[in-house]
Amino acid sequence: MASHMGLSLSWKKEDIWSGRYEDLKDAVESLPPFQSYDDSKGSSGKIGVVGGCLEYTGAPYFAAMSAMRVGADLAHVFCALSAGPVIKALSPELIVHPYLPEAANMKAKDAVTTLEAADMVEAWFSRLDVLVVGPGLGRDPFVLATVTEIIARARKAGLPLIIDADGLYIVNQNLKLIKGYTSCILTPNANEFVRLQRAVNLCRGYAGADINEVGTPAETVQAMSAHLEGVTIVRKGKRDLVVNSGCTPLVVDWEGCPRRVGGQGDILAGTVAVFWAWTRAAVKAGRVPLLRTPDMQPAISAYAACAVVRRAQMYAFEKHRRAMGAGDVIAELGPVMQEVFPLYLPQELIEEE
C-alpha cells in the first residue's frame, strides 16, 4: 500500500543522463522557483492552452488547471466559441478566450476568419511562457485550420510548444509545421505514437504488432526524434519514455496507476508546460549550468513532469480505485509537489531550527 512518507528523488541506472547521476538529480530539484514575497504575478509561469470545442470542454480545463495546481500563476485557454461559457463556468481561475471559429457559426455576420482568429491568439504570445496545443480540439475543419496557423506563428515567435491529442492529428497531416523546431515537445500515447510512426514512415517492422503489448524501443523513438530534427517526444505508457535525438533517452518508471481515464494525458501536458517554463527561467537565471545545452531543457522538463503526474495518479488511485477520475489526480498534484519539491517559507525554516 502506498503511503505519503517522505520521498527523496530516486534515479535508476537507465535514467542517468550522460553518466552524470548527481548532476541530473540536482538539476531537476532546482527547477521549481522559490516563492518570494517580492514575486510578481506571472513570475512562476504563464501557460496557454489551445483546445476545447462543443464536445470536449473538459480536456483544456484539465490541462490548464493542472498547470495551476503544479504552481503556474496564470493559465489561459484559447477555445472554440461554443466551449467558452462551459470552461468559464468550470473555474473562475482560468482566463478563457473563445476565439476559434467553428463551421456552425461561420455564416454569422460577426464570424471571424481563421486568420483573424489566429491574430487574436498571437496577440497573447508575448504574455505566455509555453503554449499547449491539442486538448479537446476536435476535428472541426475551421478550428483545425486556425490552430495550424497558430502553431506556425508560435514557432516563428519562438514560443515553446507542447502538442498533444488532436494537436498531434494536425502534426501528422503536416510534419513540416514542427520539423526542426527544437522548442517543441510531442506527447503521444501508444495509439497516437503508432499514427505518428506512420506519418514519418518509421513503422516498418512494427506492422501488425500490438504496440500496447510489445512496447516501443527507445531506438525507434529516438529515430523518430532525429527524423523530426530535434523535436522531443514523450511516449506515454506503462513506463514513460522521454527522448530527444541529441540526448540519451530517459525512462520514467515511478509507480503510477492501472486506471486509464479521460483527462490523464491533458494533466501531463499542462504539467510539462509548467516545468518547461521553470526550466527556461532557471537557465536564464544561471541556476542550473547542466541545462545550458538546449537539447536537455525540454527533455528534463518532461522527465520531471512525468514523475510528478505518475505519483499523483498513484495517490489518487490509492484513495478512489475504480472511481478515480482526472479531477482526483489534479487534487493530488499540489501535495505531490510539496512532497517531491518541498517549499518552505523563511519563518518555517526558523521554526524547524
Side-chain angles (χ1 to χ4, degrees), residues 81-95:
L81 183 64
S82 60
V86 179
I87 300 172
K88 287 175 182 285
L90 288 172
S91 175
E93 295 181 67
L94 305 180
I95 305 167

Side-chain angles (χ1 to χ4, degrees), residues 10-22 24 239 248-254 303:
S10 59
W11 309 91
K12 299 195 174 182
K13 286 188 176 180
E14 64 261 41
D15 300 332
I16 299 173
W17 204 322
S18 301
R20 290 176 287 186
Y21 175 92
E22 288 301 326
L24 178 59
R239 299 191 306 167
T248 301
L250 294 174
V251 177
V252 190
D253 57 1
W254 287 26
Y303 185 102

Side-chain angles (χ1 to χ4, degrees), residues 40-353:
S40 58
K41 184 167 60 178
S43 59
S44 288
K46 305 178 293 293
I47 307 303
V49 177
V50 179
C53 63
L54 179 64
E55 294 87 358
Y56 305 116
T57 53
Y61 164 79
F62 291 140
M65 283 306 299
S66 297
M68 296 290 289
R69 293 296 172 258
V70 168
D73 288 338
L74 296 169
H76 298 254
V77 177
F78 302 91
C79 62
L81 183 64
S82 60
V86 179
I87 300 172
K88 287 175 182 285
L90 288 172
S91 175
E93 295 181 67
L94 305 180
I95 305 167
V96 182
H97 312 268
Y99 295 162
L100 308 183
E102 298 169 287
N105 55 40
M106 287 306 291
K107 293 182 179 180
K109 292 182 179 180
D110 58 349
V112 299
T113 66
T114 57
L115 293 180
E116 290 170 337
D119 288 341
M120 291 189 286
V121 177
E122 184 181 13
W124 288 90
F125 284 178
S126 63
R127 286 174 273 185
L128 300 174
D129 295 316
V130 180
L131 189 65
V132 180
V133 178
L137 272 182
R139 298 294 173 87
D140 184 290
F142 289 95
V143 170
L144 295 180
T146 303
V147 176
T148 299
E149 180 68 19
I150 289 170
I151 292 173
R153 295 189 187 191
R155 175 176 182 168
K156 186 176 181 180
L159 182 63
L161 288 169
I162 295 165
I163 302 181
D164 186 44
D166 289 323
L168 294 171
Y169 174 80
I170 293 175
V171 168
N172 287 343
Q173 310 308 307
N174 184 4
L175 292 173
K176 291 182 180 179
L177 273 175
I178 51 92
K179 190 172 185 177
Y181 188 44
T182 56
S183 290
C184 179
I185 299 176
L186 307 182
T187 58
N189 59 27
N191 292 324
E192 290 165 341
F193 184 78
V194 170
R195 290 191 285 270
L196 188 59
Q197 279 185 301
R198 291 170 182 159
V200 298
N201 198 28
L202 285 174
C203 59
R204 291 190 300 271
Y206 295 92
D210 185 348
I211 200 88
N212 293 301
E213 294 295 329
V214 303
T216 304
E219 293 81 9
T220 302
V221 189
Q222 199 156 26
M224 182 181 296
S225 177
H227 181 88
L228 295 175
E229 299 177 6
V231 171
T232 298
I233 299 173
V234 180
R235 197 281 192 185
K236 299 177 290 193
K238 185 176 181 180
R239 299 191 306 167
D240 297 326
L241 187 61
V242 181
V243 175
N244 181 291
S245 59
C247 304
T248 301
L250 294 174
V251 177
V252 190
D253 57 1
W254 287 26
E255 185 178 354
C257 76
R259 281 280 284 165
R260 293 293 178 265
V261 297
Q264 286 175 281
D266 307 312
I267 292 170
L268 179 62
T271 303
V272 174
V274 180
F275 272 97
W276 200 358
W278 288 347
T279 298
R280 289 165 59 85
V283 171
K284 186 176 181 180
R287 295 203 315 267
V288 193
L290 174 70
L291 297 181
R292 287 175 183 163
T293 304
D295 291 337
M296 301 178 72
Q297 296 169 22
I300 204 167
S301 304
Y303 185 102
C306 287
V308 166
V309 171
R310 292 173 78 89
R311 186 54 53 97
Q313 290 173 344
M314 182 183 76
Y315 289 152
F317 183 73
E318 180 187 46
K319 292 179 179 178
H320 304 282
R321 300 302 171 100
R322 289 187 177 88
M324 188 199 88
D328 300 313
V329 179
I330 292 174
E332 297 293 337
L333 289 173
V336 168
M337 285 299 297
Q338 181 61 15
E339 178 184 23
V340 182
F341 303 98
L343 173 66
Y344 300 105
L345 296 175
Q347 59 267 31
E348 292 174 323
L349 295 175
I350 294 173
E351 289 169 2
E352 282 193 0
E353 294 176 357

